[in-house]
Amino acid sequence: MFESPICSGSSSVVISDTPRISTLLEKGSGAANEDELLIGIKTYGVFDGATSLVAESYSNGRSGGKMAADICKAAFSDESRGLQLAAVAANQAIREEYCDAGITLHRKEELWSCSAAVVRLSENSFDWCQIGDCQIVVIREDGSSLVLGRTPDQDVETLQRWKEKTVHSDESVMETMSREILEVRRRTNIDFGVFNGEPAALKFLQNGTVSLSGVKDIVLFSDGLLLPQTDPGALPDWEHFIALYREGGLKEIRNYVRMLQLRDITCRNYPRFKIHDDISGIALSFK
């Protein structure tokens, strides 16, 4: 049973046990892994960097997406400030990095960005924030589940058109749909949000507080761990996702995702932009 992401208030229960932590960080079919993980004292996060459509490299040969993920991880690593202030700091730090790299904010296709999902534990609840393509799923002891934040849908139309398009060459989706991809990128922080240095990004930040009473697992992950679907516009199959997690944790989900992707190397049956996307995941399991 799934509930809407309504935040509950504080509970009298005290969660004294440190959760068991499992992680997953894996490069996709791209040149480098632009995902990052944060394992703090009480703060845990996944960060999915996205390089600009110009795709230049910057300091130490890092891509823009990798730099954005590193910047966001560093901002949320400071546990002396709340998650919302950390989000402001992350977005501002990306903007400042643009100045050093000689990039302006006038052309969205030249900007690199980062999606994020972060939680911070306290005695009887946890704070959370989410933006972009990263997600948080809460699994309770009674079998119910709670999906926090917004499920990304900005690429649905592009991927639907890709699936329907007749292609008579070996062109990839990135080549064939380049115009549509550019149009979507230009709607960043207008129709959907990511950290990319634009002040408008913060309007898309989702956040709240949830009681830990009855919580069995908290799963944070980038979209590389979402189950492939034949219909790009369909809602994620959360029941199957959670069933796989219960069967074998993050690795079981990863194995299923990669199996389907390897059966569809043209990216047409399960429409997507890469054969394999980068994967980052953290699972917090409570007794």
Side-chain angles (χ1 to χ4, degrees):
M1 173 182 151
F2 292 91
E3 302 176 8
S4 60
I6 298 174
C7 303
S8 57
S10 62
S11 168
S12 60
V13 66
V14 175
I15 308 297
S16 57
D17 292 330
T18 300
R20 186 176 72 254
I21 303 167
S22 59
T23 64
L24 187 61
L25 184 63
E26 182 176 298
K27 186 180 81 68
S29 51
N33 189 351
E34 295 181 324
D35 280 18
E36 273 293 343
L37 298 177
L38 168 61
I39 307 294
I41 298 173
K42 294 184 177 182
T43 306
Y44 306 89
V46 295
F47 306 93
D48 182 356
T51 295
S52 72
L53 298 183
V54 179
E56 292 183 10
S57 294
Y58 298 94
S59 62
N60 300 319
R62 291 183 299 167
S63 67
K66 178 62 173 173
M67 291 176 65
D70 288 342
I71 288 170
C72 289
K73 175 181 178 178
F76 282 94
S77 295
D78 183 353
E79 298 187 313
S80 67
R81 57 190 172 197
L83 297 185
Q84 287 179 279
L85 288 178
V88 172
N91 199 54
Q92 179 62 28
I94 290 175
R95 187 184 184 97
E96 291 169 359
E97 193 69 30
Y98 288 152
C99 296
D100 294 339
I103 300 170
T104 68
L105 287 112
H106 301 307
R107 293 170 57 86
K108 291 178 185 284
E109 61 268 29
E110 295 182 4
L111 305 182
W112 18 274
S113 62
C114 185
S115 300
V118 185
V119 301
R120 178 171 295 161
L121 304 180
S122 60
E123 276 191 327
N124 54 22
S125 63
F126 68 91
D127 295 329
W128 64 273
C129 71
Q130 177 270 342
I131 191 170
D133 294 341
C134 296
Q135 304 247 237
I136 306 170
V137 173
V138 180
I139 304 171
R140 294 199 175 102
E141 294 172 351
D142 63 5
S144 64
S145 302
L146 177 65
V147 180
L148 300 176
R150 175 183 174 182
T151 300
D153 60 1
Q154 65 269 15
D155 296 314
V156 168
E157 184 177 350
T158 300
L159 293 175
Q160 284 175 332
R161 293 177 67 179
W162 161 251
K163 186 178 177 68
E164 297 163 0
K165 196 176 185 67
T166 300
V167 178
H168 299 290
S169 69
D170 294 329
E171 284 190 342
S172 69
V173 58
M174 297 296 288
E175 295 168 321
T176 303
M177 308 303 294
S178 59
R179 185 183 67 180
E180 290 83 355
I181 291 169
L182 175 60
E183 289 173 356
V184 170
R185 187 64 66 94
R186 287 175 174 171
R187 301 300 297 173
T188 301
N189 294 326
I190 297 173
D191 295 339
F192 64 96
V194 289
F195 294 134
N196 71 347
E198 294 179 302
L202 298 171
K203 295 189 299 183
F204 291 89
L205 184 71
Q206 307 285 305
N207 63 90
T209 302
V210 176
S211 171
L212 278 169
S213 178
V215 170
K216 188 176 186 298
D217 301 275
I218 303 173
V219 186
L220 305 88
F221 55 97
S222 65
D223 62 340
L225 208 59
L226 276 176
L227 306 189
Q229 298 189 111
T230 56
D231 179 4
L235 293 174
D237 189 350
W238 294 121
E239 290 187 4
H240 191 190
F241 180 94
I242 291 173
L244 289 167
Y245 174 77
R246 285 174 172 154
E247 184 177 341
L250 295 173
K251 289 185 178 179
E252 188 71 17
I253 303 172
R254 178 262 179 211
N255 291 342
Y256 180 79
V257 168
R258 291 293 194 243
M259 175 191 69
L260 293 185
Q261 292 171 338
L262 285 173
R263 293 177 179 176
D264 179 39
I265 60 173
T266 63
C267 302
R268 298 298 292 276
N269 190 38
Y270 300 103
R272 58 199 190 281
F273 296 115
K274 303 174 185 176
I275 297 176
H276 300 309
D277 200 356
D278 299 334
I279 289 176
S280 53
I282 300 174
L284 309 175
S285 301
F286 301 87
K287 293 182 181 179

